[in-house]
Amino acid sequence: MAASDPETAQRQIDEIDALSSIYGDDWCVVDEDERIFCIKISDCLEQPKWTLCLQVILPSEYPAAAPPMYQLNATWLRGQDYMELANSLEEIYVKNLGESILYLWVEKIREVLIEKSQSSDTAGPNVEKITGEIDEGNEDDYSLEYQPVQEDTVKTLNFVISESQEDEELPPINHGNPISDRRSTFQAHLAPVVSPTQVKMVLAKLHENKKIASATHNIYAYRIYCEDKQTYLQDCEDDGETAAGGRLLHLMQEESSKQLGKNKRVRKDKRRTEH
């Protein structure tokens, strides 16, 4: 993902280098070409009780003219807690327009985690829960959220494939049967993707079809599990159909949660059988 100008590109590079130096192993590069990064934030280093993963996607215009797109991953983060933290991050962005803000975001999140740790009598959610392991009986608590800072943020995906990404293969695409309802026709397309580049390749391939390219709304959603980082890379697009992409992504999240719960029960039954 090329930056809009050399100065902006250098500012991004300088900020990423600084964050990598400050946070060490907690700072992860998910996809360098797409400028996708993730950092694990805890209330303390020795015995963390509250942990959250912040994933950011840096648009080419960041930091000069666009905010980062971000995703907050934590099983406990929902409802009022989520809204308050999201509002805090947006406030930081608004107060520092045109400036690099990722360090401010990370430290604000850490401040919230420390406050939770100090005000809570419980041990807090453990790291295993946050990174994907669910306590038995709490399968429904597994949730990953995505929230852009503002609605007019730059789209994460475009259909330009760089030369360094051309060696990736286009995954198979399955096409559903068209369904007509109230003068509208809907058709689903499904592809197993393992990288943002493959998502772009699938979208580009679909748009070669004139009927698809000229459709009133082309919504999509994707979720990619990054095993080494133990977090999900996900995004969605409404294409003018309010909240449609977000609802599709939510369905995918629910399906993942059900599958994780099923796998957990299978492992539990297996242990019982072995004993």
Side-chain angles (χ1 to χ4, degrees), residues 146-165:
Y146 166 80
Q147 176 70 28
V149 175
Q150 57 186 39
E151 293 182 358
D152 59 350
T153 49
V154 178
K155 291 183 180 179
T156 305
L157 296 172
N158 54 54
F159 301 153
V160 178
I161 309 297
S162 67
E163 293 181 2
S164 63
Q165 299 166 333

Side-chain angles (χ1 to χ4, degrees), residues 159-178:
F159 301 153
V160 178
I161 309 297
S162 67
E163 293 181 2
S164 63
Q165 299 166 333
E166 288 178 349
D167 57 345
E168 293 207 33
E169 294 184 0
L170 175 70
I173 304 174
N174 297 313
H175 307 279
N177 295 322

